[in-house]
Every structure is written in structure tokens, then in C-alpha cells.
Amino acid sequence: MWVGVGGRLGNPDSTGLPRAETKPVLASVQVLRGVAACMVLVFHASYMLNEQGGYNFSYTNAGAAGVDIFFVISGFIIAYITRGSCVSPSQFLGRRLIRIGPCYWFYTTVTLAILLAVPTAFAHLKLDVTHVELSYLMVLSNNNDHVIGTLLGVGWTVCFEAYFYVLVGGLIHLPLRYRTGTLCTIIVSGALLENVVTAPAFASVVFSALPLEFLIGYLFGGAYASGFAFRCTPAVAGIVIACLAIVVAGRENLVASELDPWRVLYFGLPAACLVAGCISLDARQVFTPPRVLTRIGDASYSLYLSHQFILYAIGKAWHGLGLHNLLPALSLLVAGVGSSLGYGILSYRWFERPLTRFLNGRLRRFELGQPRQMPEILDRPNA
């Protein structure tokens, strides 16, 4: 299937695997994270122009595909950093929890605090104790509007991340071929049963097509760790086709909702082509990624979790001051995006990064032995 479009990179060790501690830094991964975060940010900022800003702004949902890019990247990274690593299930899950947990819980608490202080702050969200409890456990549930999600608006993606991590963590002790086969069986079975099984809200992560996006990334990550990458021409073609597909799908509104199973086809597959193409070009040293996007990629998780608070506040203030009658919608869009980027980067530097380093340091004190280390430059949150 890959004949003529792909090839092996370099000369891995005698097992065919680059060793975990010497795996090269993939700047393209951080660039893709930055692009994905900016896509979601612009999409939500466009929504804010109408809901809080007082404008009548026309936009598409193509930016929502940033989530699908995150999912594919997450699958790729997990395969890449665990291939050839002898980390235990508890160590793997502990590190994953440290990566996604603290920031998620912090911004979930911010949402809860706002709800307690101003119960009418969110039009479609009311305080529900069960919904709050399950949100802190990274478990999906129905809110007061019977919409499946978490207290934090973007938190539903973290639940899918957590589910994928639990699957991999539970299988990580198996030999690689059995681990991959079992993972494929579980995820594909859940996707096929989505419209067959009437599952409760908490099981929506299991009986869903969306984990297929993680699986696609995981399979490519395994191939890449073995030395495979697409050649330049098919990689570039895949990137171009992926971008066009996402634009068309967004313009035609082909993805109806966050959990729409067709999302995998219209956003997930293009996202996979984009990720595979960019990583392949990076591996072949075809281009040097823009530094600004790698910086945004570093802060992508904090940016992703926090941006809706910034957008909401700026939109409300803009409308309250009557600026929507004086300035064009583009002014608010730039203000919202710029402010969210600035806050997200600060949140990463002053909160997420130091807290993650501290907790990882504490975790290592309780770990027995010194297993092969995962490359920290890649071991970052992927919401």
C-alpha cells in the first residue's frame, strides 16, 4: 500500500526501532498543535461575535477540525513514545494524568466558581451536582439541557483523551503486536456499535466513532517509529487535499455536532492526512517550522482550555460599551484572538509548565527503578 509513496528513514537500531531516549524532536508536532489550537480559537471567536459581541457574522465550522487534529496527534504521540519503552501501566497513566489533569481541573473549577457566583452566566448551563462530580472525574454526562458533555465547555475532548489513555495503559504490558491488535478491536467494535447500542452518556466515549481518530494516529505513529515516512510528493498532496476537504466540509456544514460519527470521515481523515504529511516532511527535513507556531503549540493545551473564558468576557464588554456600533466585526475578532493567545501563553508559562514539572518530579520519587524515559519534548497535553 505504501510502495511508491513512502520509505524508511535513517537506520534504526537492530530491532528496527529508534530508542525512546534518542528519538528526534518533531517540531512539526508542536506546529500542528499550534495550528489546531488557533483553528478552534478562531471558530469560537467567530461564534462569540454573534452571541456576545452583537454582530451578524457569517462563518463556517471548519475550525472545529482542530479538535480532530489534536486527536490524531495524540494517537501518534502515544505510539511514538511508548514504542520501545518499558514503562509500566501505572507509570504511563500517572504521567498522562499529570499532563491533562491539573489544567483541566483548574478551568473546570473556574467554570464552577462562575456558576456559583452568577447562576445565569451561561445561557445553556445550570448547576447540577451530578454533572459537576462526573466532570471532575473526566466522565461525560448530560447537562441540564440534556446535552452530553462536561461542565467545562471544551472538556468533552479531555474525556475522549482520558479514555484512549486508559485503553493504552491497560494494554501497555502486552507485546506490541497484541497491544495494537487489541486496541484496534476495542476501538473499531465501539465505532460499529455506536448506532446499535443505546449507551448511557458516560459510555459515549466507548460507543463512538471518534476514537478511530486516535487509532489512525496511533497506527501511523507505530509505522513512523519503525522508520516509515511518506515521500515529499504524496506528503504535500495529502496536506493540500486535507486542507481543501476541511474547508469544504466546514462550508457545507457536513459535521452536525461535536459527537457526530460522520465527523471521522469529514474532519478526521483529512486531519490524519495533514498530520502524516507534515510529520513526514519534517522527518525528511524539507522545511523549518515557524518558531511562533511552535511556541503556540507549547501552550496549546492551556490556550484550548482557557480561550472561551477570554472570548466571553471580551465579547460581553465589547457589546456593553457599544463598540459593535462603532467598529467592524474584524476588530473584535482580532481583539478576542489576540487576547486569548496572550493569556494562553502566560497560563502555560506561569501555571501549566511549572506545575507539570513539579508533579512529574514528585511522581519520579515514588517510581521504582528507572525505565526508559519518554521524550519530554513530545510528552505534552493533546486536548
Side-chain angles (χ1 to χ4, degrees), residues 30 33-34 36-37 70 96-108 138 152 154-155 157-159 161-162 165 295-307 343-345 347-348 351-353 356 380-383:
Q30 292 307 94
R33 283 173 172 157
F70 276 129
R96 290 292 97 198
L97 183 62
I98 287 174
R99 290 302 186 188
I100 68 173
C103 276
Y104 168 75
W105 290 321
F106 174 77
Y107 287 109
T108 295
M138 300 181 189
L152 180 64
V154 297
T157 61
V158 179
C159 296
E161 290 278 350
Y165 294 159
R295 295 301 186 190
I296 295 174
D298 291 342
S300 59
Y301 190 50
S302 287
L303 172 61
Y304 179 74
L305 293 180
S306 66
H307 73 274
Y343 176 84
I345 292 172
S347 175
Y348 167 71
F351 176 65
E352 179 191 347
R353 183 171 61 182
T356 300
R380 309 215 180 176
N382 309 290

Side-chain angles (χ1 to χ4, degrees), residues 73-349:
I73 290 174
S74 183
F76 171 86
I77 291 300
I78 294 304
Y80 185 68
I81 65 178
T82 58
R83 190 76 176 264
S85 172
C86 53
V87 66
S88 70
S90 61
Q91 290 169 334
F92 171 81
L93 292 174
R95 294 175 190 179
R96 290 292 97 198
L97 183 62
I98 287 174
R99 290 302 186 188
I100 68 173
C103 276
Y104 168 75
W105 290 321
F106 174 77
Y107 287 109
T108 295
T109 303
V110 171
T111 306
L112 177 60
I114 293 173
L115 270 179
L116 290 173
V118 186
T120 59
F122 304 105
H124 306 290
L125 182 63
K126 307 299 179 185
L127 189 61
D128 181 280
V129 175
T130 300
H131 188 55
V132 171
E133 292 174 345
L134 292 176
S135 293
Y136 275 101
L137 294 174
M138 300 181 189
V139 175
L140 293 175
S141 63
N142 289 298
N143 65 13
N144 55 283
D145 269 357
H146 303 288
V147 175
I148 296 176
T150 60
L151 188 65
L152 180 64
V154 297
W156 66 274
T157 61
V158 179
C159 296
F160 277 91
E161 290 278 350
Y163 169 62
F164 179 67
Y165 294 159
V166 168
L167 282 183
V168 175
L171 300 172
I172 205 168
H173 63 287
L174 296 177
L176 182 60
R177 61 182 182 276
Y178 296 120
R179 183 196 316 166
T180 302
T182 305
L183 188 65
C184 289
T185 300
I186 294 173
I187 291 179
V188 172
S189 298
L192 293 175
L193 292 173
E194 178 174 4
N195 294 320
V196 177
V197 176
T198 303
F202 70 84
S204 297
V205 295
V206 179
F207 299 104
S208 171
L210 294 188
L212 289 172
E213 298 180 357
F214 294 93
L215 181 61
I216 294 171
Y218 185 88
L219 294 175
F220 176 67
Y224 183 87
S226 296
F228 173 85
F230 287 99
R231 300 190 190 279
C232 294
T233 299
V236 171
I239 292 171
V240 173
I241 293 172
C243 292
L244 291 175
I246 289 172
V247 169
V248 171
R251 182 176 179 180
E252 299 299 322
N253 199 30
L254 297 179
V255 178
S257 65
E258 294 170 340
L259 302 181
D260 185 352
W262 289 102
R263 179 176 193 139
V264 176
L265 175 63
Y266 295 125
F267 283 166
L269 290 183
C273 291
L274 183 62
V275 170
C278 289
I279 290 175
S280 295
L281 291 180
D282 184 16
R284 296 184 183 281
Q285 300 179 346
V286 174
F287 72 103
T288 301
R291 189 174 182 84
V292 64
L293 282 179
T294 61
R295 295 301 186 190
I296 295 174
D298 291 342
S300 59
Y301 190 50
S302 287
L303 172 61
Y304 179 74
L305 293 180
S306 66
H307 73 274
Q308 287 187 303
F309 299 103
I310 308 301
L311 293 176
Y312 181 87
I314 290 179
K316 281 290 189 181
W318 195 275
H319 187 269
L321 294 172
L323 296 179
H324 62 294
N325 295 321
L326 303 174
L327 298 172
L330 183 60
S331 302
L332 177 55
L333 184 67
V334 171
V337 170
S339 299
S340 297
L341 282 171
Y343 176 84
I345 292 172
L346 291 177
S347 175
Y348 167 71
R349 290 182 178 178

